[in-house]
Amino acid sequence: KAGVTQTPRYLIKTRGQQVTLSCSPISGHRSVSWYQQTPGQGLQFLFEYFSETQRNKGNFPGRFSGRQFSNSRSEMNVSTLELGDSALYLCASSKGGKNTEAFFGQGTRLTVV
Amino acid sequence: AQSVTQLDSQVPVFEEAPVELRCNYSSSVSVYLFWYVQYPNQGLQLLLKYLSGSTLVESINGFEAEFNKSQTSFHLRKPSVHISDTAEYFCAVTVSGNTGKLIFGQGTTLQVKP
């Protein structure tokens, strides 16, 4: 069974641009969550989508947005990139019910120059 | 609000020695606790979890963790480490069993030396 797939693996963008990251969950999983990982702030929760609806949201500015499609694939968008947005962005998928295991993708390494 | 504190940012240890990675949580309601491991340039892998029942949980590769409600701790232990255990370890908490929103500690880098 295929795992969580994130594309692209690496990305370099210029300050002020926008970027879209993609996450394909494990087949049958309806919940997709996004996290930002940086050396200074560690792993921080961005948002969770379940059945195409945002179910939880972290404390990030509105420049960070996401969506989920009917096939459970999810995209995350960051507009007006800042140098501080450089990070590893991790996606996790789960069945979405109580106490179900979250499986993580390998992440997208975003560098903003 | 829930929070997780990992008390050590780095833990160096010699191969075959025992190790303990410490994790304390803060929550006013029932929590569910997890340990994840991250190898370089990889995503996170679930090591073990506490949901309910026995306070001692074990993983298949020799790690164990004990949930201590009175001390609000969930420390990770292994009696004998291997070089291959070198990685970053994260303690995480969630509330009401929704693993779609995990709150992570800052991580502990385990460095196993030969």
Side-chain angles (χ1 to χ4, degrees):
Chain A
K1 166 161 139 174
V4 179
T5 304
Q6 292 188 245
T7 56
R9 287 292 312 278
Y10 302 93
L11 207 49
I12 300 175
K13 288 287 188 179
T14 303
R15 195 169 46 180
Q17 287 186 312
Q18 75 165 13
V19 67
T20 299
L21 312 182
S22 179
C23 173
S24 293
I26 291 171
S27 178
H29 284 192
R30 296 165 65 190
S31 168
V32 174
S33 301
W34 289 89
Y35 296 85
Q36 181 195 65
Q37 185 177 21
T38 59
Q41 300 298 317
L43 275 158
Q44 294 186 286
F45 172 76
L46 279 155
F47 29 68
E48 179 203 8
Y49 285 86
F50 180 80
S51 293
E52 302 179 65
T53 301
Q54 189 179 82
R55 185 158 74 169
N56 281 295
K57 188 176 189 302
N59 296 322
F60 277 80
R63 299 186 297 108
F64 292 81
S65 63
R67 59 178 176 169
Q68 187 180 32
F69 302 94
S70 58
N71 62 357
S72 292
R73 189 178 71 85
S74 177
E75 288 182 347
M76 190 191 92
N77 185 274
V78 187
S79 62
T80 320
L81 283 165
E82 300 176 359
L83 296 179
D85 296 333
S86 295
L88 180 67
Y89 290 88
L90 291 165
C91 163
S93 80
S94 73
K95 291 182 179 178
K98 212 171 179 180
N99 303 332
T100 56
E101 181 177 343
F103 294 84
F104 283 79
Q106 292 193 302
T108 293
R109 171 77 63 185
L110 172 65
T111 302
V112 182
V113 298
Chain B
Q2 302 79 37
S3 66
V4 177
T5 302
Q6 291 184 244
L7 298 162
D8 306 294
S9 59
Q10 293 189 352
V11 173
V13 64
F14 286 105
E15 194 173 19
E16 297 184 6
V19 71
E20 177 180 81
L21 307 184
R22 297 179 293 170
C23 171
N24 285 89
Y25 68 91
S26 172
S27 176
S28 58
V29 297
S30 297
V31 295
Y32 302 85
L33 295 154
F34 307 83
W35 275 100
Y36 281 85
V37 59
Q38 185 178 35
Y39 299 100
N41 299 316
Q42 299 290 319
L44 278 71
Q45 299 173 30
L46 180 66
L47 200 54
L48 44 77
K49 60 186 177 184
Y50 171 77
L51 303 177
S52 63
S54 173
T55 57
L56 184 65
V57 290
E58 299 176 351
S59 72
I60 57 173
N61 55 358
F63 283 95
E64 64 179 30
E66 185 163 17
F67 171 62
N68 188 318
K69 188 174 181 180
S70 62
Q71 297 186 3
T72 61
S73 68
F74 191 55
H75 300 332
L76 181 70
R77 301 184 183 97
K78 189 170 185 181
S80 176
V81 295
H82 302 287
I83 295 287
S84 60
D85 293 324
T86 295
E88 190 156 20
Y89 293 78
F90 292 93
C91 183
V93 64
T94 186
V95 175
S96 302
N98 177 16
T99 50
K101 181 180 179 180
L102 292 164
I103 307 300
F104 287 93
Q106 285 293 97
T108 297
T109 300
L110 176 62
Q111 301 164 322
V112 182
K113 304 176 182 181

